[in-house]
Amino acid sequence: MKPDEVIRACAERGGVIGIEAAPHTTLSGDHPHHSIESVMDHFTYCVELVGIDHVTFGPDTMFGDHVGVHDTYAGNYAHDAGNRPQHPRVEYVSGLENPGEAFGNIVGWLVAHDYSDDEIAKVIGGNTIRVLEQVW
């Protein structure tokens, strides 16, 4: 959800880009119904752009009515619809419905798509820990 030049600049400085999954955000043209597949489209795009060492996950899911929270506070968010594809409204992101399921499903997707154990460890927390250790 950031321009390529911002993603590249973050990676050039050793940072990480967190891939999130709040409803109606990380959509893709190939997967306009917001699901784990549309979120992973963003993940693979960023990995191809800056490499696996600069990508992590921060799904931004919650138990309860995530869409309702966004609707209630929409006026407080600096949303830019930008180039989002047309998409149906959803109650939750299929496959990433809540924090109790999100990371298990992300890891399952990564395994099914032939990511190595080391790559999976990096993107589900290793890259974030590396940056935190460098900063603090």
Side-chain angles (χ1 to χ4, degrees):
M1 293 180 5
K2 297 290 180 199
D4 287 359
E5 61 268 13
V6 170
I7 297 169
R8 283 191 200 101
C10 178
E12 288 167 3
R13 289 162 183 78
V16 294
I17 296 296
I19 307 300
E20 63 95 22
H24 308 118
T25 55
T26 42
L27 302 161
S28 74
D30 290 339
H31 299 101
H33 185 274
H34 206 180
S35 68
I36 190 170
E37 294 300 330
S38 57
V39 172
M40 299 312 272
D41 287 346
H42 286 260
F43 165 75
T44 55
Y45 179 86
C46 287
V47 168
E48 291 170 4
L49 184 67
V50 296
I52 197 94
D53 292 331
H54 302 287
V55 185
T56 192
F57 286 95
D60 190 22
T61 60
M62 60 185 276
F63 293 104
D65 186 2
H66 200 154
V67 174
V69 170
H70 277 259
D71 289 344
T72 299
Y73 294 103
N76 297 326
Y77 300 143
H79 283 283
D80 175 11
N83 268 350
R84 287 195 199 146
Q86 292 289 8
H87 64 280
R89 299 268 308 158
V90 297
E91 293 182 25
Y92 55 86
V93 180
S94 298
L96 302 173
E97 289 86 349
N98 60 62
E101 298 174 4
F103 274 98
N105 291 343
I106 288 169
V107 170
W109 189 98
L110 293 166
V111 168
H113 289 82
D114 298 323
Y115 285 83
S116 71
D117 290 351
D118 288 340
E119 291 171 324
I120 293 170
K122 287 179 180 186
V123 299
I124 64 164
N127 290 337
T128 302
I129 291 169
R130 173 185 52 80
V131 171
L132 290 173
E133 287 174 343
Q134 290 172 350
V135 172
W136 277 303

